[in-house]
Amino acid sequence: MRCLPSPSLVALACTLAVPAVAAAARPEEGAAAPATTSPAVETRRRRDRVRALEVQAVGMTQLLPRPGGGADIALAFGHPNFQARVGVLLVGVPAFRLGEGDVANGLGAATLDLCAAKGVLNHQIRMCMGGQAGGMVHRWRGYEVPGRPATAWGAGVLKGDYQLKLTEHFGVIGGVGVVIPVVGPVFRARDAFGSHTPQVFPGPMAGFLSLGTTFRW
């Protein structure tokens, strides 16, 4: 003879089983929540940030009668299509003859540029607009009454550059541009009769070339 479970026992078993199943379906308290950002997205976000140290040799001409050379050191930051550059420019110009003596010059300026950039694979082209603010120092030789030892300097800058990425962090960079002096010294030569000659420096604009390396992190 078989014994069938009573309806009351079945109801009791169901009452006890339902909370146990629900508790098993809930994640344990303190368990880590699933990651909301995939590693691929996080890597892309890091790549979208641009942080680079740029060190370039600079050659400048048409600013003074003799070409000058120096260094441009800048920190670039921003995004792949829009970047800012903050740095310093140091340029020395060999002495040139002016009237009864000669004068050598050095330029030191802080630089700020805003740039639009376009990158494809390991290549980047960038166009920048900005300015320089600083001073020029002068060494007068052979003058009975030398000029001022230092003068203020301010100029606008337009330039473009090209970067080639060699590794994940290192690359080469080269550029070309123009400098338009706004505040700076005026050198005016005199002829044999003591009259001012039409030759005046600096000119309305100077050209420059740059070449160096870039380090990204």
Side-chain angles (χ1 to χ4, degrees):
M1 181 177 65
R2 293 181 299 175
C3 296
L4 298 176
S6 64
S8 60
L9 292 178
V10 174
L12 178 60
C14 291
T15 303
L16 296 176
V18 170
V21 173
R26 291 197 302 268
E28 296 181 3
E29 293 185 4
T36 56
T37 304
S38 67
V41 173
E42 195 65 31
T43 301
R44 187 170 63 251
R45 288 179 179 176
R46 287 197 299 268
R47 289 177 178 173
D48 285 346
R49 295 194 300 265
V50 173
R51 291 180 300 183
L53 176 64
E54 301 173 358
V55 180
Q56 302 180 72
V58 175
M60 186 176 294
T61 185
Q62 299 175 349
L63 179 64
L64 295 173
R66 299 191 66 179
D72 178 276
I73 304 172
L75 177 65
F77 57 91
H79 297 277
N81 295 328
F82 182 79
Q83 302 167 22
R85 293 179 77 256
V86 179
V88 294
L89 174 69
L90 302 172
V91 176
V93 181
F96 60 91
R97 191 75 182 176
L98 185 67
E100 63 185 19
D102 55 47
V103 55
N105 302 272
L107 168 64
T111 63
L112 173 62
D113 301 301
L114 299 179
C115 308
K118 178 65 176 179
V120 178
L121 299 177
N122 295 329
H123 309 273
Q124 176 184 269
I125 295 177
R126 190 170 59 181
M127 301 298 296
C128 301
M129 176 184 298
Q132 302 172 352
M136 290 189 73
V137 294
H138 316 287
R139 183 181 178 187
W140 306 84
R141 297 181 298 188
Y143 297 91
E144 292 186 6
V145 181
R148 290 180 292 177
T151 51
W153 172 265
V157 179
L158 296 173
K159 61 182 178 180
D161 60 40
Y162 166 76
Q163 297 184 35
L164 174 61
K165 190 176 181 182
L166 300 178
T167 69
E168 184 67 23
H169 298 290
F170 288 95
V172 295
I173 179 173
V176 59
V178 295
V179 177
I180 306 173
V182 178
V183 177
V186 175
F187 300 95
R188 188 185 298 271
R190 295 177 181 270
D191 60 19
F193 302 99
S195 301
H196 287 295
T197 66
Q199 186 180 32
V200 178
F201 295 96
M205 77 172 52
F208 70 88
L209 296 173
S210 62
L211 180 64
T213 62
T214 176
F215 172 75
R216 292 195 177 200
W217 70 93

